[in-house]
Amino acid sequence: PFGKYIGFQPEALISQKGYEGSGTLLGVPYSSSRTTTYLDFPLQIQFKPSEFITLIAGPQYSYLLNQNDKNSFGNNSIEQNQEFDQEDIRKNTLGFLVGVDIMLSRVVLSAKAAWDLQNIKLNGATSTPQYKNRWLQFTVGFVI
């Protein structure tokens, strides 16, 4: 805390993000999914309007640790962990988050919404889609 109403709340998290898509091409079903594992560092400013409620907001730096792709077309499927040496992929991503913490006796309920400010792919020249992660996070904590 910087005072009665303002504080700083840094965190370190491991999170999984990604996407799924499916459809048909010439009558043949296909699907594609990507799961990415990130090391996230949210740097949140706290505003405490009451004893029980804390509003939080701030930037989040994310570093890509691992990526797993699953693709299927008809009866054929491929799963692979991506190597990043040849990819034009952004391993460092900046995002922003907002949320609220509610303190009930010795239980903390938290809800956050966040989104990337940058596309994951640096250019759109490849077949890999450009996308930005958006996510919700719900937490239950206990004060010891």
Side-chain angles (χ1 to χ4, degrees):
F2 295 131
K4 186 175 180 180
Y5 301 105
I6 304 291
F8 179 63
Q9 181 177 319
E11 297 178 0
L13 308 166
I14 293 180
S15 65
Q16 286 192 326
K17 305 169 189 170
Y19 63 83
E20 292 181 356
S22 63
T24 58
L25 179 62
L26 301 173
V28 179
Y30 70 88
S31 66
S32 176
S33 70
R34 171 169 289 165
T35 303
T36 52
T37 304
Y38 282 90
L39 184 57
D40 296 328
F41 297 99
L43 305 174
Q44 304 154 120
I45 299 296
Q46 300 175 323
F47 174 66
K48 197 167 181 88
S50 76
E51 183 180 344
F52 306 104
I53 296 176
T54 304
L55 305 174
I56 54 177
Q60 175 170 294
Y61 166 77
S62 299
Y63 181 77
L64 180 61
L65 298 173
N66 185 21
Q67 177 176 301
N68 184 276
D69 292 330
K70 294 179 183 176
N71 298 297
S72 69
F73 186 74
N75 293 326
N76 300 315
S77 64
I78 297 173
E79 180 176 350
Q80 69 184 58
N81 282 317
Q82 291 287 59
E83 297 292 330
F84 300 117
D85 296 338
Q86 304 300 321
E87 285 283 327
D88 187 16
I89 194 161
R90 184 182 304 276
K91 291 178 79 170
N92 302 290
T93 307
L94 184 63
F96 192 78
L97 65 89
V98 295
V100 62
D101 292 340
I102 299 172
M103 179 70 117
L104 305 169
S105 184
R106 301 183 68 80
V107 176
V108 179
L109 303 175
S110 178
K112 297 178 187 175
W115 55 93
D116 288 342
L117 299 174
Q118 302 163 301
N119 281 332
I120 301 303
K121 290 292 284 183
L122 294 175
N123 69 38
T126 67
S127 61
T128 303
Q130 290 193 38
Y131 65 96
K132 295 179 184 179
N133 289 310
R134 296 181 305 259
W135 61 98
L136 298 173
Q137 175 183 335
F138 301 100
T139 307
V140 177
F142 302 95
V143 179
I144 298 175

